[in-house]
Amino acid sequence: MQTAEIHRRWLDFFEKRGHTVVPSASLVSDDPSLMFTVAGMVPFVPYLSGLVPAPYPRATSVQKCIRTNDIEEVGRTPRHGTFFQMCGNFSFGDYFKEDAIRFAWELLTTSEADGGLGFDPADLWVTVYEEDEEAIALWKQHSTLPDERIQRLGKDTNYWSTGQPGPAGPCSEIFYDLGPEYGVDGGPATDDDRYVEIWNLVFMQYQVADVRSKTEFTILGELPNKNIDTGMGLERVAFIKQGVQNMYEIDQVRPVLDRAAELSGKRYGADHTDDVRLRVIADHVRSGLMLIADGVTPSNEGRGYILRRLLRRVILSMRLLGVEGASFAELFPVSRDAMRDAYPAVAEGFDFISRVAYAEEKTFLRTLASGIQILDTAVERARDGAAAVPGDTAFLLHDTHGFPIELTLEIAEEAGVGVDEGVFSALMQEQRDRAKADAKAKKGQRADLSVYKELRGLGETRFTGYDELSHESRVLGIVVDGAPVAEAGEGQIAELVLAETSLWAESGGQDADQGVILGDGFEAEVLDVQKPVPGLIVHTVRVTVGRVGIDARAETRVDADYRRGAAQAHSGTHIVHAALREVLGAGAHQAGSYNKAGYLRLDFTHTDALSAATKSEIEEISNLAIRADHEVVTREMPLDEAKSLGAMALFGEKYGDRVRVVDIGGPWSRELCAGTHVSSSAEVGMISLISESSVGSTNRRVESLVGMEAFRNFAAERAIVQQLTSGLKVPRAELVTRVQDLGAQLKAAEKKVAALEAEKLGQRVPELLAGAETLGGSRVVLGSLGRVGSADDIRGLALQLRDRLGSEPGVVVLAGAVPAGEGTEKPVVIAATTARARETGVKAGDLAKLGARVLGGGGGGKPDLAQGGGADVAKIDEALAEIRRDLAG
């Protein structure tokens, strides 16, 4: 049975039993405490916890998930994957244990011909919480399991909680017995790999507090609404139903494994180490494909770092299999084809996905080459007597260049040297400790959202600002310093929750509105507007007059000028996006944005910097679209209809069943967007691109001023041009030529001055040679030159003096003060040696380092010529004296 078919049967089964089919949420989690969606229940947490009223009594989904906490186990066990799919059925105060158990048994054991999964009951075991007599009785009632295959286990395995005060409850797990050839008898209680957990039923029925550990907490009582949360591992069921050994061999993963084996010339099943690498490649390519499809791009932090790590592990595994060149162009299309039936978006967005993946591979292959050079140098030193590559070098390769220790060990072993793994392990542990401390600190900074639970329970905040700038409502709740209060007084900062509001809450890249909230006897300045939980708009205000209390009348008033500017910027963002795609092609896809009154920032997928001509073209197309006065049309419609019209769903954004579509010039710019917009493109006024830069190996960023801010920017530049034309007494058309001429004249003058300075310094050669002294068997010239034009002047004089010393052992050390900008100076010391002096052991690099150390800096170079510098010009004489003592010794 194909994985997509199991997926389909799951949803069909529960839909026929009254469950609302909920599409998979993005892998990028809405939960601020999570990087990714790590379990099937994550999108439903607000409903299960009661934070947000559930929109349906029962639901089902097949949720995409990513977990990387066990990344080192990938490929080594039959069931560890970074990307996996969790089939879930959920009840929000509707059915409970009996139906959950009945549904599970029915789906698993109904024949394939009748729409079930066709498991033989003789192969199934269940575990229950040892004190849950109700669940045990229900299993006996609704299944054919004998008593010995219903095992009681303790809290450590069969009791679920978040680890925090809140909902909790016992769970019941269903296992498949692979057979006696896979391990010992005795069922799941043996904790043997023979028994594969395929489904977990969580009975969320208690409220707990005083949580001391996973097994130690206080049960306060039963929840008023009991919930069901279940999860069946799709990949686990698939590998059992397909008769293969592990999840890497199922139909959605195996094709990549086979292609990697073909490219490397390896045979899967012939060597355990190679098999692990092939499984890592197959798993990580699929994970990378799905993450990029949900808008994640490689970076050095957060989600992007996880993606980068996965992709680089693929590259390194291919290298360890003997493939040193690029391979993503062979592997990613195979994964796309394996996943497209279940997730058509991977095929629709493959142009974007492939460009991101291929660019990351190209970048890392270059990084890998530089890392190999570092490792080669360390290996040579080890051969020369060190015996082992230093642990800090191995750590540098791992931390900076992405080398896993396995690669370093393998290369070192081939060269016949070892690696100091003890030091490496110690440095790795220090890094883990820092990461844990950082994560703990960040976790402690997260807001407690429970304060909004009752407020959200009063209903969803209705936004009225599309049609009006003021709206009269009432105060539903007030929060001060994270706690609910009855009122807030003059001077206090408070959060107000209203039934309706005309103030836009920051979202979709658009900054929050500015404005005021007025009521009977109070006025409040709006500082910020946010959505801390879905459907709830919270206004952070400073009460400027009177006191505001619960149930007070409250009128929201938007600052009309600010809203106009924000709408101009948001519509301008759509226009610039369309212009980028017109110039660069459909691959230039928005990857993030931010806009506020007068300003927009747009990130887009592209690898190369834009030329001046390209930026000018994009700016011109944008302003031509403004001049064309395109009508801006907003419509609400079902998501599928919007996509069929070609509306762009931006990577990483999340959409409901109904969406808002914004057209500018019809299909020229058609995007899904909930933000506020102008009514015609001419209202944007003007767009002025002010910068273009890189924000990663695959993303670029443009920034632009909009409307009056753009005009003011042009006016400021015009004033500068007028000042220059007036001061230089040239027409504007000749200004560039005149400035270029002045620049050329200045360079010529600087060159002439430098020549005069060099000539002047050259005249000091006889004087410096006359002061030479014999130290340590060499003729030594030491000189403090005072203020000098540049370090090059000192170097040139040192070389002249060295040449005049001829073939005798000779050393020249000169120091001077050179310009350091803004009227400051810095000391520079130059050392030069003759061949005869170097034969006696005198090295210019050592002398430069010595002098630089006294000057408060650093330096070095070759044995014949070296340079040092510092921060303290006053210590030049002291530095030369230290060098004299060294040479004399």
Side-chain angles (χ1 to χ4, degrees):
M1 188 181 293
Q2 297 292 287
T3 308
E5 175 62 15
I6 301 171
H7 182 147
R8 185 190 65 76
R9 288 181 181 229
W10 175 276
L11 296 179
D12 285 350
F13 178 88
F14 283 103
E15 185 176 27
K16 289 174 182 175
R17 287 153 182 80
H19 293 67
T20 298
V21 175
V22 179
S24 174
S26 170
L27 286 169
V28 178
S29 174
D30 282 331
D31 187 334
S33 67
L34 297 173
M35 267 192 204
F36 298 115
T37 302
V38 296
M41 55 96 66
V42 168
F44 300 99
V45 166
Y47 313 143
L48 292 168
S49 65
L51 186 63
V52 176
Y56 24 66
R58 51 179 74 180
T60 186
S61 69
V62 177
Q63 175 61 47
K64 301 175 292 185
C65 303
I66 284 280
R67 288 185 197 166
T68 58
N69 53 321
D70 291 329
I71 194 170
E72 300 300 336
E73 296 300 314
V74 172
R76 302 179 187 279
T77 74
R79 64 198 75 160
H80 276 98
T82 51
F83 173 85
F84 61 96
Q85 299 156 88
M86 188 61 71
C87 304
N89 60 288
F90 306 89
S91 166
F92 311 106
D94 188 17
Y95 65 83
F96 198 49
K97 285 184 190 178
E98 181 168 11
D99 282 346
I101 289 171
R102 181 169 59 85
F103 290 154
W105 185 256
E106 185 179 349
L107 176 57
L108 286 174
T109 60
T110 296
S111 70
E112 293 183 16
D114 292 328
L117 296 180
F119 280 93
D120 185 341
D123 294 327
L124 299 177
W125 292 67
V126 299
T127 62
V128 294
Y129 176 51
E130 57 192 358
E131 297 178 13
D132 192 354
E133 300 296 341
E134 180 186 9
I136 293 170
L138 289 169
W139 275 114
K140 291 180 178 180
Q141 178 184 344
H142 292 286
S143 77
T144 59
L145 291 168
D147 289 356
E148 64 269 18
R149 281 199 274 128
I150 302 173
Q151 296 189 319
R152 297 171 184 258
L153 295 177
K155 283 183 180 177
D156 57 333
T157 60
N158 279 68
Y159 208 96
W160 175 88
S161 78
T162 64
Q164 303 292 328
C171 61
S172 181
E173 297 176 333
I174 306 170
F175 290 79
Y176 178 82
D177 181 2
L178 293 173
E181 63 271 29
Y182 288 89
V184 300
D185 291 331
T190 63
D191 198 25
D192 191 88
D193 284 344
R194 168 177 167 175
Y195 303 94
V196 179
E197 180 196 338
I198 57 174
W199 201 338
N200 186 15
L201 314 178
V202 175
F203 310 127
M204 211 174 289
Q205 66 185 107
Y206 296 114
Q207 182 80 17
V208 299
D210 188 25
V211 179
R212 301 175 294 281
S213 70
K214 180 177 173 62
T215 58
E216 296 178 324
F217 45 79
T218 301
I219 297 177
L220 300 180
E222 292 202 343
L223 293 168
N225 291 314
K226 299 175 184 178
N227 300 324
I228 288 294
D229 156 31
T230 87
M232 184 187 84
L234 183 57
E235 282 77 9
R236 294 188 181 187
V237 172
F239 88 69
I240 293 168
K241 294 301 295 179
Q242 293 173 21
V244 295
Q245 301 297 308
N246 52 63
M247 63 164 289
Y248 315 104
E249 298 175 15
I250 66 173
D251 59 298
Q252 288 186 345
V253 185
R254 179 65 185 257
V256 179
L257 187 154
D258 288 339
R259 185 65 183 130
E262 184 181 347
L263 291 171
S264 63
K266 304 292 185 180
R267 184 174 66 82
Y268 184 60
D271 178 85
H272 173 71
T273 301
D274 286 345
D275 287 353
V276 169
R277 291 167 182 162
L278 289 167
R279 292 195 284 259
V280 166
I281 292 164
D283 173 84
H284 289 7
V285 166
R286 184 169 75 143
S287 298
L289 176 87
M290 301 305 293
L291 281 169
I292 300 170
D294 274 359
V296 182
T297 55
S299 69
N300 288 328
E301 59 186 12
R303 300 180 181 95
Y305 173 75
I306 298 297
L307 172 60
R308 173 163 283 169
R309 186 182 180 197
L310 291 169
L311 297 180
R312 292 187 171 189
R313 279 171 61 90
V314 173
I315 297 165
L316 292 165
S317 295
M318 289 296 290
R319 184 182 182 90
L320 290 170
L321 290 172
V323 179
E324 297 191 2
S327 60
F328 280 7
E330 298 288 342
L331 300 175
F332 270 79
V334 175
S335 188
R336 171 202 62 198
D337 294 343
M339 297 299 294
R340 69 194 310 164
D341 285 348
Y343 302 99
V346 300
E348 296 164 5
F350 192 70
D351 179 62
F352 168 76
I353 295 167
S354 59
R355 282 186 296 103
V356 169
Y358 301 169
E360 178 65 17
E361 181 182 39
K362 182 179 179 181
T363 299
F364 184 54
L365 286 173
R366 288 198 300 265
T367 303
L368 198 59
S370 65
I372 289 291
Q373 292 178 355
I374 294 172
L375 184 53
D376 285 346
T377 300
V379 166
E380 286 303 315
R381 288 176 179 167
R383 280 173 166 169
D384 289 342
V389 172
D392 56 355
T393 300
F395 179 76
L396 171 72
L397 288 166
H398 165 85
D399 196 47
T400 304
H401 297 275
F403 272 54
I405 187 63
E406 295 86 359
L407 181 63
T408 301
L409 289 169
E410 182 164 316
I411 293 174
E413 183 180 355
E414 289 176 357
V417 299
V419 177
D420 189 340
E421 294 184 67
V423 171
F424 172 83
S425 297
L427 291 169
M428 283 294 293
Q429 188 58 50
E430 288 177 17
Q431 186 186 63
R432 291 189 196 101
D433 292 343
R434 287 193 300 270
K436 285 181 181 178
D438 183 53
K440 186 176 181 180
K442 289 180 178 176
K443 185 175 181 180
Q445 295 166 8
R446 293 184 190 125
D448 180 5
L449 300 181
S450 62
V451 69
Y452 304 113
K453 177 178 177 179
E454 291 186 12
L455 295 172
R456 180 60 181 83
L458 298 175
E460 185 170 348
T461 312
R462 187 167 68 91
F463 175 66
T464 67
Y466 291 131
D467 306 310
E468 59 186 9
L469 294 180
S470 64
H471 184 83
E472 189 166 310
S473 183
R474 65 187 182 90
V475 178
L476 299 180
I478 305 173
V479 177
V480 174
D481 295 331
V485 297
E487 63 175 14
E490 190 169 317
Q492 277 190 293
I493 303 294
E495 294 177 310
L496 302 186
V497 175
L498 312 180
E500 304 94 15
T501 180
S502 57
L503 289 152
W504 174 261
E506 181 179 357
S507 57
Q510 182 175 330
D511 205 1
D513 271 336
Q514 295 180 3
V516 295
I517 299 178
L518 308 175
D520 296 330
F522 81 89
E523 296 180 10
E525 174 193 2
V526 176
L527 306 177
D528 194 13
V529 190
Q530 294 290 333
K531 295 179 180 178
V533 297
L536 188 71
I537 296 177
V538 175
H539 310 76
T540 301
V541 303
R542 177 186 288 108
V543 182
T544 54
V545 175
R547 303 186 71 79
V548 55
I550 300 293
D551 214 32
R553 182 190 69 82
E555 181 186 0
T556 57
R557 291 185 185 177
V558 179
D559 183 317
D561 286 340
Y562 188 86
R563 167 66 73 79
R564 184 181 303 109
Q568 287 175 317
H570 204 154
S571 297
T573 303
H574 286 219
I575 289 171
V576 171
H577 187 203
L580 280 164
R581 291 169 64 80
E582 184 172 324
V583 174
L584 302 177
H589 201 293
Q590 181 175 325
S593 68
Y594 173 72
N595 50 76
K596 62 180 181 178
Y599 170 85
L600 72 84
R601 182 183 73 215
L602 177 67
D603 296 347
F604 60 99
T605 54
H606 196 63
T607 54
D608 301 321
L610 305 185
S611 67
T614 299
K615 287 185 285 187
S616 180
E617 184 180 3
I618 292 165
E619 187 177 66
E620 181 174 358
I621 290 172
S622 298
N623 283 294
L624 285 173
I626 292 170
R627 190 183 71 174
D629 197 19
H630 294 305
E631 184 180 11
V632 178
V633 178
T634 60
R635 297 170 287 168
E636 280 199 5
M637 62 184 69
L639 178 59
D640 291 341
E641 181 182 345
K643 289 183 176 180
S644 70
L645 290 174
M648 294 188 63
L650 304 183
F651 284 107
E653 291 292 322
K654 302 169 184 65
Y655 303 99
D657 293 334
R658 289 191 64 80
V659 294
R660 192 164 177 264
V661 178
V662 178
D663 288 358
I664 302 177
W668 183 71
S669 171
R670 178 170 289 161
E671 298 188 17
L672 304 184
C673 180
T676 64
H677 289 271
V678 297
S679 59
S680 71
S681 63
E683 293 180 35
V684 174
M686 182 186 297
I687 282 174
S688 172
L689 294 184
I690 55 174
S691 77
E692 189 270 341
S693 59
S694 170
V695 285
S697 60
T698 56
N699 286 346
R700 307 292 300 178
R701 169 175 292 172
V702 290
E703 295 177 274
S704 176
L705 299 177
V706 184
M708 282 303 298
E709 291 300 318
F711 170 77
R712 292 187 183 104
N713 183 57
F714 279 123
E717 291 183 353
R718 180 180 62 191
I720 293 171
V721 171
Q722 289 173 342
Q723 290 174 18
L724 289 172
T725 55
S726 175
L728 297 175
K729 295 180 172 57
V730 295
R732 188 175 69 173
E734 299 177 14
L735 181 60
V736 173
T737 302
R738 178 64 173 143
V739 170
Q740 289 174 340
D741 289 343
L742 287 173
Q745 292 173 24
L746 179 60
K747 284 184 179 179
E750 289 174 342
K751 189 175 182 180
K752 186 174 181 179
V753 169
L756 291 172
E757 290 280 357
E759 183 180 349
K760 183 179 177 182
L761 279 175
Q763 293 172 358
R764 297 186 61 178
V765 169
E767 168 199 342
L768 290 166
L769 282 174
E773 53 189 311
T774 300
L775 298 170
S778 293
R779 189 157 175 75
V780 178
V781 177
L782 294 169
S784 176
L785 305 179
R787 290 184 177 181
V788 184
S790 70
D792 288 342
D793 292 337
I794 303 176
R795 186 180 298 105
L797 181 59
L799 292 174
Q800 285 187 56
L801 289 164
R802 186 180 67 179
D803 291 343
R804 294 287 292 273
L805 291 175
S807 60
E808 64 180 308
V811 179
V812 179
V813 182
L814 303 178
V818 302
E822 299 182 0
T824 62
E825 295 175 331
K826 64 179 181 180
V828 171
V829 58
I830 302 288
T833 60
T834 65
R836 291 282 300 281
R838 293 192 293 277
E839 290 172 2
T840 66
V842 180
K843 297 179 181 179
D846 294 341
L847 299 175
K849 285 180 183 177
L850 178 60
R853 189 161 59 243
V854 177
L855 296 170
K862 297 179 180 180
D864 62 327
L865 183 64
Q867 176 176 326
D872 194 346
V873 172
K875 290 189 175 181
I876 285 178
D877 289 341
E878 183 182 335
L880 291 174
E882 184 65 24
I883 292 171
R884 177 184 283 108
R885 283 193 291 272
D886 182 73
L887 288 168

